[in-house]
Amino acid sequence: MQGNITPNNLTIISGQITGNFHPCPGKPQKKLCVAELAVKRLSGQTDYVPVTIDEKTADAMRRHTGQNVCITGRFMSYNHHDKNGSHLCLSLSV
């Protein structure tokens, strides 16, 4: 395994890049952004998985908006606090 990706957190996911790219909240110094990956379930329903990526990777992914891709990464979680309380947020870190 490379880096700090452990076998029990390794994720391989495929879906369509939606084109919804925006700066990563709370991480402006790291130059990260979040994109959405639309993943179809066997039932036909679609899940929208947030994918955290660096700016260089985001530029490459933008060229493939609307196309199906396969992404390898690891799931990250954090608590997002707003006026309605605290919410657990999951994101795939690429």
Side-chain angles (χ1 to χ4, degrees):
M1 292 269 116
Q2 294 179 330
N4 57 1
I5 297 177
T6 58
N8 61 350
N9 196 20
L10 179 65
T11 304
I12 301 171
I13 191 168
S14 63
Q16 189 176 67
I17 301 170
T18 66
N20 296 331
F21 291 83
H22 54 86
C24 187
K27 305 275 187 194
Q29 70 280 10
K30 291 192 177 183
K31 299 191 182 220
L32 299 175
C33 73
V34 178
E36 277 187 347
L37 192 67
V39 180
K40 278 226 179 200
R41 295 185 189 189
L42 293 176
S43 66
Q45 294 293 323
T46 301
D47 290 320
Y48 294 90
V49 179
V51 179
T52 304
I53 50 181
D54 61 55
E55 285 183 345
K56 189 182 289 187
T57 304
D59 289 341
M61 283 182 72
R62 279 186 182 93
R63 291 191 295 264
H64 298 287
T65 296
Q67 297 178 0
N68 289 317
V69 296
C70 185
I71 295 175
T72 302
R74 62 186 175 132
F75 268 105
M76 307 286 286
S77 64
Y78 63 93
N79 286 313
H80 174 72
H81 304 282
D82 62 16
K83 63 182 178 181
N84 297 321
S86 180
H87 308 279
L88 179 65
C89 297
L90 295 174
S91 176
L92 182 65
S93 179
V94 177

